[in-house]
Amino acid sequence: MRTAFHDQLDSVFDDLADICDQVRTAVRIATDALLTGRADLAERAISGDAAIDAARERVEDNALAILSLQAPVAGDLRVVVAALRMVSDLERMGDLSVHVAKIARLRTPHIAVPAQCAPIIGRMAEIAESMVARTADVIRERDVDAAAELRADDEEMDKLRRASFAEMLGSEWTSGIEAAVDIALLGRYYERIADHAVSVAGRVVFVVTGEQPTVA
Amino acid sequence: MRTAFHDQLDSVFDDLADICDQVRTAVRIATDALLTGRADLAERAISGDAAIDAARERVEDNALAILSLQAPVAGDLRVVVAALRMVSDLERMGDLSVHVAKIARLRTPHIAVPAQCAPIIGRMAEIAESMVARTADVIRERDVDAAAELRADDEEMDKLRRASFAEMLGSEWTSGIEAAVDIALLGRYYERIADHAVSVAGRVVFVVTGEQPTVA
């Protein structure tokens, strides 16, 4: 039986999926700024974060209203708390996109990523964006199978991170310390975006199945 | 008037302070491992994280039980939700200590931090540990003034981070790419521990005053 509680909860999950779409856009614009050195894109990625923060506040207010007015217990309570955690993850993913954009802005009009590392960082960014896009689908469709697939992507992300270290420490690295420090931090940011995507998707699995997957 | 709700909430805050003590120990041991290159300390910091994760689960279960059984509303509800967020922050600080210890372990028996950078990283670690220690006091004493002081430390942390970049990019850096990458990531980890401490302390301010400070 549908209840006011479930309708309100559906609306919170719709909002979470919308925020996930916003995060995807943020990752894409920050990456474009990074790989092109375009200052205008970096600024757009940085200033766009305020909208994600505002959306997070609305979702939090709605979730608290549900807790206050419906006083859910047991499984229902855990679902609302899961929603609160998902929105924290999503906000953090937005912050990490800002960190990527700030490295881009620091180096503009130059490109922070040396040509030698562009394929690895480009692929990390691609995976991160794709994971965020699929996380939005996972939230919208409550798609437990798609959530499991995200873990495979997360493993590719870890491999790419190791590859980036191998590149920097290899004898052919001619891009110096500054670029290496940028790449180390960029790798960390994209990896964290991926971790949070896995975490959000894992919470959807919990919401659907009642089973808590072991998440990062 | 004291109520069962407030007694249960006090108990949650006592547990949060205890977890904060555990995090402080984790930061200290991880730092000792880092600055001495001792593998046994690195392993201890890494394996110790399971206890923090377990403590987090207990606090979460207790907070959910309060929500379920007491169905608090308005300010009381927000306090319980704040406790849930604080325990997430604290768990994350534990994870970041593990990241520090893993860099130590990767380089052992050598020391990851070159002598040239040891004062800066040592000071960052000292500030991080001190901030975590004072955050435990803030939680125990509901000390709003001490919470405000943490922000000043956080600013020193940011300055040290910039100093570490200047060191690595200066002409006197002779420690190569690998050490620079380690320092960049270590700086990031200590900075994040500090950010989370400020966040936890900020939530205590909110719990006490009802005013949400603008936290990182």
Side-chain angles (χ1 to χ4, degrees):
Chain A
M1 190 190 74
R2 300 298 301 172
T3 61
F5 170 77
H6 289 105
D7 287 342
Q8 286 169 12
L9 204 57
D10 280 351
S11 154
V12 164
F13 276 78
D14 288 345
D15 289 343
L16 288 171
D18 290 345
I19 296 178
C20 204
D21 289 339
Q22 287 176 270
V23 170
R24 180 199 178 166
T25 303
V27 172
R28 185 171 44 71
I29 298 173
T31 301
D32 286 350
L34 183 69
L35 298 178
T36 62
R38 274 179 55 185
D40 60 323
L41 292 177
E43 292 300 343
R44 216 173 107 199
I46 292 163
S47 63
D49 193 49
I52 293 176
D53 291 348
R56 181 212 56 169
E57 276 185 36
R58 282 196 302 276
V59 167
E60 284 182 353
D61 287 345
N62 291 340
L64 286 171
I66 293 177
L67 288 176
S68 239
L69 299 174
Q70 308 283 353
V73 296
D76 286 345
L77 171 60
R78 286 184 180 266
V79 170
V80 180
V81 170
L84 281 169
R85 288 187 179 136
M86 287 162 74
V87 79
S88 293
D89 278 312
L90 290 168
E91 188 211 4
R92 193 73 209 124
M93 292 155 83
D95 292 343
L96 288 159
S97 306
V98 169
H99 287 315
V100 169
K102 282 187 174 169
I103 288 185
R105 185 172 68 179
L106 202 60
R107 307 296 171 221
T108 191
H110 300 290
I111 298 174
V113 179
Q116 186 184 354
C117 244
I120 292 177
I121 293 291
R123 180 71 190 134
M124 288 182 96
E126 204 170 79
I127 294 175
E129 190 192 330
S130 155
M131 288 176 77
V132 176
R134 276 172 304 136
T135 299
D137 292 341
V138 166
I139 300 171
R140 276 202 183 90
E141 315 291 337
R142 313 284 197 276
D143 187 339
V144 173
D145 296 330
E149 284 165 25
L150 285 180
R151 293 188 166 274
D153 282 346
D154 201 35
E155 280 168 30
E156 192 188 345
M157 186 68 101
D158 291 344
K159 273 187 204 151
L160 286 163
R161 186 110 195 275
R162 286 194 293 275
S164 76
F165 285 120
E167 196 80 51
M168 290 187 277
L169 302 176
S171 57
E172 286 168 38
W173 184 260
T174 55
S175 305
I177 302 275
E178 185 173 85
V181 165
D182 284 347
I183 296 297
L185 293 173
L186 288 165
R188 173 82 186 151
Y189 299 147
Y190 283 119
E191 186 190 43
R192 288 297 298 156
I193 291 171
D195 288 343
H196 284 290
V198 170
S199 168
V200 170
R203 294 191 205 283
V204 173
V205 173
F206 167 71
V207 164
V208 173
T209 67
E211 307 260 313
Q212 191 87 57
T214 47
V215 290
Chain B
M1 191 190 75
R2 298 298 300 171
T3 61
F5 169 77
H6 289 105
D7 287 342
Q8 287 169 12
L9 204 57
D10 279 352
S11 154
V12 164
F13 275 78
D14 288 345
D15 290 342
L16 287 172
D18 290 345
I19 297 178
C20 205
D21 288 340
Q22 288 177 270
V23 170
R24 180 198 178 167
T25 304
V27 172
R28 186 172 43 70
I29 298 173
T31 300
D32 286 349
L34 183 69
L35 298 179
T36 62
R38 274 179 54 185
D40 61 323
L41 292 177
E43 291 300 341
R44 216 173 108 199
I46 292 163
S47 63
D49 193 50
I52 293 175
D53 291 347
R56 180 213 55 170
E57 275 185 36
R58 281 196 303 276
V59 167
E60 283 182 354
D61 287 345
N62 291 340
L64 286 172
I66 294 176
L67 288 177
S68 237
L69 299 172
Q70 308 283 352
V73 296
D76 287 344
L77 171 60
R78 286 183 180 267
V79 170
V80 180
V81 170
L84 281 170
R85 289 190 178 134
M86 288 162 73
V87 79
S88 294
D89 278 312
L90 291 167
E91 188 211 5
R92 193 72 209 126
M93 291 156 84
D95 292 343
L96 289 159
S97 306
V98 169
H99 287 315
V100 169
K102 282 187 173 169
I103 289 184
R105 184 172 70 177
L106 202 60
R107 307 295 171 220
T108 188
H110 300 290
I111 298 173
V113 180
Q116 186 183 355
C117 242
I120 292 177
I121 293 292
R123 181 70 189 135
M124 288 181 97
E126 205 170 80
I127 294 175
E129 190 192 329
S130 156
M131 287 175 78
V132 176
R134 276 171 305 137
T135 299
D137 292 340
V138 167
I139 299 172
R140 277 203 182 86
E141 315 292 336
R142 313 283 198 276
D143 186 341
V144 175
D145 296 330
E149 283 165 25
L150 284 180
R151 293 187 166 274
D153 281 346
D154 201 35
E155 280 169 30
E156 191 187 346
M157 186 67 102
D158 292 342
K159 272 187 204 151
L160 286 163
R161 184 109 196 276
R162 286 193 292 276
S164 76
F165 284 119
E167 195 80 51
M168 291 186 277
L169 302 176
S171 57
E172 286 167 37
W173 184 259
T174 55
S175 305
I177 301 276
E178 186 174 85
V181 165
D182 285 347
I183 296 298
L185 293 173
L186 288 165
R188 172 82 186 150
Y189 300 148
Y190 283 118
E191 185 191 43
R192 288 297 298 155
I193 291 171
D195 287 343
H196 284 289
V198 170
S199 168
V200 170
R203 294 189 205 284
V204 173
V205 173
F206 167 72
V207 164
V208 173
T209 65
E211 307 260 314
Q212 190 85 59
T214 48
V215 290

